[in-house]
């Protein structure tokens, strides 16, 4: 029974490049959440998606960041034209819905050179 | 709006001693409350959750937490610390009635000494 799968575990990009982070939720989970963790800080919510729909993107920066959860395939968090400040650990979580706990992946650690 | 405050960014206890990690929340609606643990370079693992059933919640690895509405608290305890408990602990809150986002505290790093 696989948990939440994120890949890659580590991603290095140069300033100005694009970063794509992937998340496959647990089997049977239709709710996906993305969080960002800066060094020595807690997790900050970015976006909440269900299949083909963005439910809440209140934590997502207005520019350069986008997320999707297509009908088929993993959820993707995309960061265009990365800058040094984007360096962080990005965590994906999934759940079965209201009142159910979120289960987290091991994260993608993004480093910007 | 919801928020969580974790008092003490670092807590150190001796092996075998009581563990007490503090969490206070603020919520305009009845909350769901969670404790997660994070080991280095890993994701968050759910320890326990409160979803308006029993106020004393038992979790994994011997941890438990008590929901006290009058104090708006959800402190995490364990009677006897083990070396393997050394990790970062996060308290989180979400709204009831929805599958909404988690709002996390800033975390408490637990150190266990011999």
């Amino acid at each position: 029974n696989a948990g939440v799968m994120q890949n890659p575990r580590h991603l290095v990009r140069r300033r100005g490049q694009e970063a794509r982070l992937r998340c496959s939720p647990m089997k049977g989970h239709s709710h996906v959440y993305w969080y960002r963790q800066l060094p020595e800080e807690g997790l900050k919510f970015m976006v909440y998606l269900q299949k083909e729909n963005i439910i809440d993107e209140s934590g997502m920066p207005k520019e350069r960041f986008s997320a999707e959860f297509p009908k088929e395939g993993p959820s993707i968090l995309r960061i265009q034209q990365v800058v040094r400040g984007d360096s962080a650990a990005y965590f994906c979580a999934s759940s079965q819905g209201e009142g159910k706990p979120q289960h987290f992946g091991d994260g993608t650690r993004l480093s910007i050179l | 709006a919801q928020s969580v405050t974790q008092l003490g960014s670092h807590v150190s206890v001796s092996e075998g001693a009581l563990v007490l990690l503090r969490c206070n929340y603020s919520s305009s609606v009845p909350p769901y409350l969670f404790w997660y643990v994070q080991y280095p370079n890993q994701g968050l693992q759910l320890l326990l959750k409160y979803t308006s059933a029993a106020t004393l919640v038992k979790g994994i690895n011997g941890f438990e937490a008590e929901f006290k509405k009058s104090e708006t608290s959800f402190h995490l305890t364990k009677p006897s610390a083990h070396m393997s408990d050394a990790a970062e602990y996060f308290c989180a809150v979400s709204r009831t009635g929805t599958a909404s986002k988690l709002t996390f505290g800033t975390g408490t790093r637990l150190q266990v000494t011999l």
Side-chain angles (χ1 to χ4, degrees):
Chain A
N1 186 16
V4 177
M5 303 299 292
Q6 289 188 250
N7 68 82
R9 289 293 308 275
H10 301 274
L11 182 61
V12 180
R13 285 287 177 266
R14 295 186 182 281
R15 282 177 294 172
Q17 291 184 320
E18 178 180 287
R20 281 184 180 239
L21 288 61
R22 295 174 184 77
C23 169
S24 296
M26 285 181 69
K27 186 177 181 180
H29 289 195
S30 58
H31 301 251
V32 167
Y33 310 79
W34 286 94
Y35 295 84
R36 178 165 61 178
Q37 184 178 34
L38 295 171
E40 305 299 321
E41 293 187 16
L43 278 73
K44 302 290 187 187
F45 167 78
M46 299 182 74
V47 62
Y48 161 35
L49 311 101
Q50 294 182 30
K51 283 288 187 181
E52 299 185 279
N53 286 303
I54 296 175
I55 308 301
D56 179 358
E57 56 182 348
S58 59
M60 192 94 98
K62 299 299 181 192
E63 297 179 352
R64 303 189 297 108
F65 285 73
S66 62
E68 63 177 10
F69 188 18
K71 187 176 180 181
E72 301 290 338
S75 175
I76 306 287
L77 179 67
R78 181 183 179 203
I79 311 172
Q80 295 178 291
Q81 299 175 333
V82 296
V83 300
R84 288 252 170 88
D86 297 332
S87 295
Y90 292 82
F91 290 95
C92 172
S94 71
S95 82
Q96 291 177 305
E98 195 266 328
K100 303 299 183 183
Q102 295 179 24
H103 296 265
F104 284 78
D106 284 340
T108 294
R109 280 149 185 86
L110 176 63
S111 299
I112 309 302
L113 301 179
Chain B
Q2 298 177 302
S3 65
V4 169
T5 301
Q6 291 185 242
L7 291 175
S9 58
H10 290 82
V11 170
S12 182
V13 300
S14 300
E15 190 174 34
L18 171 72
V19 176
L20 170 61
L21 304 182
R22 300 178 186 275
C23 172
N24 288 88
Y25 70 91
S26 173
S27 179
S28 57
V29 298
Y32 291 146
L33 292 160
F34 307 84
W35 275 100
Y36 285 87
V37 60
Q38 184 180 33
Y39 297 98
N41 297 316
Q42 294 185 24
L44 277 68
Q45 180 182 5
L46 180 68
L47 281 176
L48 49 80
K49 60 181 168 81
Y50 167 77
T51 54
S52 73
T55 56
L56 181 62
V57 181
K58 293 187 183 298
I60 62 172
N61 301 340
F63 285 94
E64 63 181 36
E66 186 173 7
F67 173 70
K68 292 187 177 180
K69 185 177 179 181
S70 60
E71 299 178 7
T72 61
S73 68
F74 190 57
H75 302 330
L76 182 70
T77 60
K78 182 174 180 178
S80 177
H82 192 273
M83 296 296 288
S84 61
D85 295 326
E88 186 98 24
Y89 291 80
F90 292 96
C91 182
V93 63
S94 71
R95 291 168 59 92
T96 55
T98 69
S100 67
K101 63 186 179 185
L102 291 170
T103 300
F104 285 89
T106 52
T108 297
R109 188 173 298 278
L110 176 65
Q111 182 182 20
V112 182
T113 59
L114 289 171

